Amino acid sequence: MKTRRMTMAQALIQFLKQQYVERDGREHAFFAGMLGIFGHGNVAGIGQALQQNPDFPYILVRNEQAGVHMAAGFAKASNRLRTFACTSSIGPGATNMITGAALATINRLPVLLLPGDIFARRNVAPVLQQLESPGTQDTGVNDCFKPVSRYWDRIYRPEQLITALPEAMRVLTSPSDCGAVTLALPQDVQTEAYDYPEELFEKRVWLIRRGQPDRVSLERAVAAIRGAQRPLIVAGGGVLMSEASATLRDFVENTGIPVSETQAGKGSLRWDHPLQMGAIGATGTLAANRLAKTADLVIGIGTRYSDFTSASMTAFQNPAVKFVNINTAEFDAYKVGAIPVVADARAALGSLVEAVGDYLVPRSYADEAEKLKREWDAEVDRLFHLNSNGGGKPAQSEVIGAMWEAAGERDVLLSAAGSHPGDLHKLWRTRTPNGYHMEYGYSCMGYEIPGAIGAKLADPSREVFVFLGDGTYLMMPSEIVTAVQEHIKLIIVLVDNKGFASIGGLSRSLGMGGFGTSYRERSHTSGKLDGDFLQVDYVANARSLGAHAIEAGSLPELKAALEEAKKMDRITVIVVETEPGVGVPGYESWWDVAVAEVSQIEAVRQARAHYIQARKKERHHLATVKKG
Ligand SMILES: Cc1ncc(C[n+]2csc(CCOP(=O)(O)OP(=O)(O)O)c2C)c(N)n1
Ligand SMILES: [Mg+2]
């Protein structure tokens, strides 16, 4: 057997460089490089190996968590066909990546995490940053990655790479099982040499399967569709990941079945397609939510049925509602008691186009959907052009309208947390697949800037607009520095509304009056956080990190700033204060947030009474199959 003597870290990098994926006959490298921060736990191992592999790009980030977000954003914008590996030192550098790992796994996005670990040799323990346990020498902080990883391993001996790496690749390239993969790398083992078999470093192409639907499942799905009077599609992220938009369009144009979209699936069908009813669920449109309420068949495609999608299991109120789920993951396909079609979205839709034959939705239903669509489009126009305050502060919906008007056909809108996802889910008019990049599996404040860097790296030909709040900005502005370092252009619109409009609104609606959710000084008189509003100069802050920064005091100023940002060749942050009182309403939906069962506060008791009432609409969806 031919071998090559290398350190474990060198072998790892050499292996990563040779991993390719193939889908639909197109082949390319799976790893775009490595993101990370060096410390004593990786500098002499992975760091040394990266130094001698300049053809495997290394990007220095500001925070390890952000590095993982960047990898996840890159993977999402690449439809999971590419990703980055992430390196960290031991201890805090490693645990900083746990939030990112959870985000990736929940969103089913492949990221490879390589936290440094304490000495396998152990004789010098406890080393700096080591978690000691009196009960065992075999646990450390990296064990915290286990529940948030789809594959987890610790490499105690250099030769363990030979069996660990193929498993890591199997999971990372799986359409159904992908998520974070963690290989904990003890500091000493990274530097140990071993005679690795040459075969380990040969080019390997991983096929991204398009699983075909099983014949019987397909027949049952077809029978359910052909029997439906009021069918509705719920398009989830799987439609985009599978690049199934065109096939979805063919299917709905042949059948007349209207489409609603989850956060991850938004953009599956162009916003102005006549069968596009828009967002579904807690942050849904009136059009989609009305159709969901009375649907007799829900066809979920690539969706996890999160509580936002199902409106906490209240969205589908027809007592006879049935479900068909097309999903590459068996786990998701079986949800809500559906007829499961375990298959790739594009493959399954392709088969369904043929198999449903001449089925068409009833004329009256098509008319109803068309009318709801027209009314919804008018509602968005209204919210985009409220003219609520003349030349003063714009409403958030007007800011979204201005961004939408500034964005071009292929541009990307990216966001993650705050009041932005809900408003954007309803209002953004997605023009092209992947033109709407919302991280809403984990809704992680701080994802936005690093996630956007990842999205931009994935496709530099698309302008990336980032929409975020003052809260989320303060949590992780630091990756602006990374964008400057890497010459990454982003257009960031930062909404300054003095705190948490989203959670503040939720708090008020639940009887807690917004307690602890606005950015105010502690009052010298009351001793509470109800003093003067904090004055944070976001423009100066962004500028200090290297961004071009603009303050927009009105809607016309915002529009001018957006045009200016489009012309810039570097990262721009536009700060806009919004009118806090003018929010986007909800549209006949709800979200279950439990309210205190007993309280001394009357408003909370009232909210509890309302809550008990609302919960009565929550349903179990258990057995479509039995209903035949
Ligand atoms: C890391 C993280 N911490 C806490 C939350 C809970 N949370 C959701 S939205 C929000 C407030 C966001 O504030 P901001 O970014 O200013 O947006 P706004 O609500 O004002 O629109 C909080 C604290 C979260 N989603 N992520
Ligand atoms: Mg805010």
Side-chain angles (χ1 to χ4, degrees):
M1 183 177 68
K2 269 185 78 179
T3 59
R4 216 190 296 181
R5 191 158 179 80
M6 306 169 92
T7 68
M8 181 261 256
Q10 291 160 1
L12 174 61
I13 305 298
Q14 194 59 32
F15 175 89
L16 297 183
K17 287 200 297 189
Q18 294 304 322
Q19 304 310 302
Y20 286 73
V21 292
E22 174 197 333
R23 187 164 76 174
D24 306 326
R26 285 195 301 274
E27 178 191 303
H28 47 76
F30 186 62
F31 293 100
M34 182 94 71
L35 308 165
I37 294 181
F38 295 138
H40 68 280
N42 60 341
V43 69
I46 294 285
Q48 190 281 329
L50 285 166
Q51 185 199 12
Q52 68 178 57
N53 281 282
D55 56 339
F56 196 67
Y58 174 65
I59 298 181
L60 165 59
V61 299
R62 265 65 228 169
N63 177 321
E64 294 86 352
Q65 179 185 325
V68 187
H69 292 340
M70 226 174 269
F74 180 83
K76 183 176 164 79
S78 309
N79 295 330
R80 303 196 290 221
L81 299 175
R82 287 188 302 161
T83 190
F84 276 94
C86 300
T87 179
S88 81
S89 189
I90 71 169
T95 49
N96 266 356
M97 297 202 292
I98 289 171
T99 297
L103 181 150
T105 296
I106 286 167
N107 286 288
R108 317 272 166 85
L109 295 169
V111 295
L112 175 60
L113 309 183
L114 305 168
D117 210 318
I118 54 170
F119 277 65
R121 182 156 44 87
R122 290 184 179 163
N123 63 319
V124 291
V127 296
L128 179 67
Q129 301 168 329
Q130 174 169 347
L131 174 78
E132 287 186 277
S133 167
T136 176
Q137 293 186 45
D138 197 32
T139 51
V141 296
N142 286 339
D143 290 86
C144 300
F145 282 95
K146 285 179 180 171
V148 292
S149 299
R150 281 299 181 96
Y151 181 81
W152 184 98
D153 213 341
R154 188 180 274 131
I155 311 298
Y156 284 113
R157 298 169 64 93
E159 63 266 40
Q160 283 175 350
L161 271 190
I162 302 166
T163 51
L165 287 172
E167 293 304 317
M169 286 306 299
R170 171 183 60 78
V171 174
L172 288 168
T173 60
S174 163
S176 51
D177 289 339
C178 68
V181 166
T182 302
L183 300 181
L185 308 179
Q187 179 190 337
D188 49 348
V189 184
Q190 289 178 41
T191 63
E192 284 171 18
Y194 182 77
D195 294 309
Y196 287 96
E198 270 296 343
E199 227 183 314
L200 184 65
F201 309 117
E202 280 169 17
K203 177 175 171 180
R204 189 150 175 183
V205 185
W206 299 79
L207 178 69
I208 310 280
R209 285 168 285 117
R210 286 201 181 274
Q212 297 295 325
D214 139 79
R215 187 179 53 80
V216 178
S217 308
L218 194 71
E219 278 168 14
R220 290 183 183 168
V222 168
I225 293 169
R226 289 190 63 87
Q229 301 293 305
R230 304 181 60 82
L232 176 69
I233 286 172
V234 176
V239 175
L240 294 167
M241 294 298 120
S242 148
E243 295 170 357
S245 288
T247 320
L248 174 69
R249 195 187 59 228
D250 288 350
F251 177 64
V252 300
E253 286 178 356
N254 283 351
T255 56
I257 301 175
V259 174
S260 65
E261 292 176 335
T262 71
Q263 284 278 17
K266 190 171 163 76
S268 293
L269 197 64
R270 238 188 105 87
W271 75 274
D272 52 0
H273 191 284
L275 291 165
Q276 172 63 278
M277 300 297 120
I280 187 167
T283 51
T285 70
L286 193 59
N289 285 345
R290 284 260 173 95
L291 292 187
K293 207 168 287 174
T294 53
D296 61 354
L297 180 70
V298 175
I299 306 168
I301 311 173
T303 176
R304 303 186 302 134
Y305 288 99
S306 83
D307 63 347
F308 264 83
T309 297
S310 75
S312 300
M313 290 297 172
T314 64
F316 312 110
Q317 288 295 329
N318 185 335
V321 66
K322 293 181 186 179
F323 293 83
V324 165
N325 283 347
I326 298 169
N327 208 298
T328 182
E330 191 177 88
F331 175 63
D332 293 313
Y334 275 79
K335 285 178 178 172
V336 288
I339 297 169
V341 179
V342 182
D344 169 75
R346 192 160 102 186
L349 282 166
S351 303
L352 277 179
V353 173
E354 302 289 318
V356 295
D358 60 358
Y359 171 80
L360 251 185
V361 301
R363 187 67 248 167
S364 58
Y365 182 59
D367 291 345
E368 191 181 326
E370 195 192 317
K371 180 165 174 283
L372 284 167
K373 160 84 177 158
R374 229 181 310 117
E375 287 168 0
W376 177 253
D377 284 348
E379 174 70 350
V380 176
D381 283 334
R382 181 184 77 80
L383 288 160
F384 274 4
H385 305 108
L386 280 178
N387 200 13
S388 56
N389 225 352
K393 294 183 200 170
Q396 184 154 291
S397 68
E398 292 176 293
V399 175
I400 295 173
M403 288 173 76
W404 184 76
E405 280 158 18
E409 188 67 16
R410 293 188 70 251
D411 294 349
V412 178
L413 185 282
L414 186 146
S415 190
S419 59
H420 311 87
D423 289 1
L424 291 165
H425 193 209
K426 290 171 204 160
L427 303 183
W428 191 260
R429 293 170 153 176
T430 316
R431 298 157 168 122
T432 35
N434 303 79
Y436 181 84
H437 182 133
M438 181 64 64
E439 189 287 287
Y440 211 63
Y442 212 38
S443 186
C444 185
M445 290 168 74
Y447 171 83
E448 296 87 344
I449 299 175
I453 294 174
K456 185 73 179 174
L457 284 168
D459 189 348
S461 73
R462 298 176 91 158
E463 193 91 87
V464 179
F465 289 78
V466 184
F467 195 36
L468 49 68
D470 43 357
T472 207
Y473 179 84
L474 286 179
M475 209 173 267
M476 204 177 284
S478 45
E479 297 310 316
I480 287 176
V481 177
T482 308
V484 173
Q485 164 194 298
E486 298 297 326
H487 312 294
I488 303 254
K489 178 188 174 183
L490 302 173
I491 300 175
I492 298 175
V493 176
L494 189 170
V495 172
D496 179 2
N497 55 16
K498 310 278 182 264
F500 307 160
S502 52
I503 305 299
L506 181 64
S507 163
R508 277 184 287 279
S509 77
L510 302 180
M512 285 158 295
F515 167 72
T517 59
S518 51
Y519 286 169
R520 305 175 84 145
E521 286 178 24
R522 189 168 300 284
S523 158
H524 291 297
T525 45
S526 72
K528 298 181 188 169
L529 289 177
D530 57 3
D532 291 343
F533 281 104
L534 292 164
Q535 296 303 323
V536 182
D537 188 340
Y538 295 102
V539 171
N541 182 282
R543 198 171 285 148
S544 76
L545 298 173
H548 177 61
I550 312 170
E551 177 146 13
S554 65
L555 203 54
E557 280 182 30
L558 172 66
K559 289 180 179 179
L562 286 164
E563 291 311 313
E564 183 181 329
K566 276 159 62 177
K567 289 191 201 102
M568 299 293 298
D569 63 357
R570 65 196 185 98
I571 183 166
T572 300
V573 176
I574 301 169
V575 180
V576 59
E577 273 193 55
T578 53
E579 190 53 52
V582 195
V584 179
Y587 295 90
E588 299 187 0
S589 198
W590 111 293
W591 183 40
D592 188 337
V593 177
V595 181
E597 197 165 351
V598 291
S599 170
Q600 293 161 337
I601 300 166
E602 171 56 21
V604 175
R605 288 198 296 272
Q606 277 178 20
R608 174 76 190 184
H610 178 75
Y611 172 72
I612 296 296
Q613 227 17 62
R615 269 201 61 187
K616 290 187 178 148
K617 283 201 173 145
E618 289 181 5
R619 295 191 53 185
H620 292 291
H621 297 291
L622 295 173
T624 296
V625 179
K626 267 193 236 144
K627 287 181 210 151

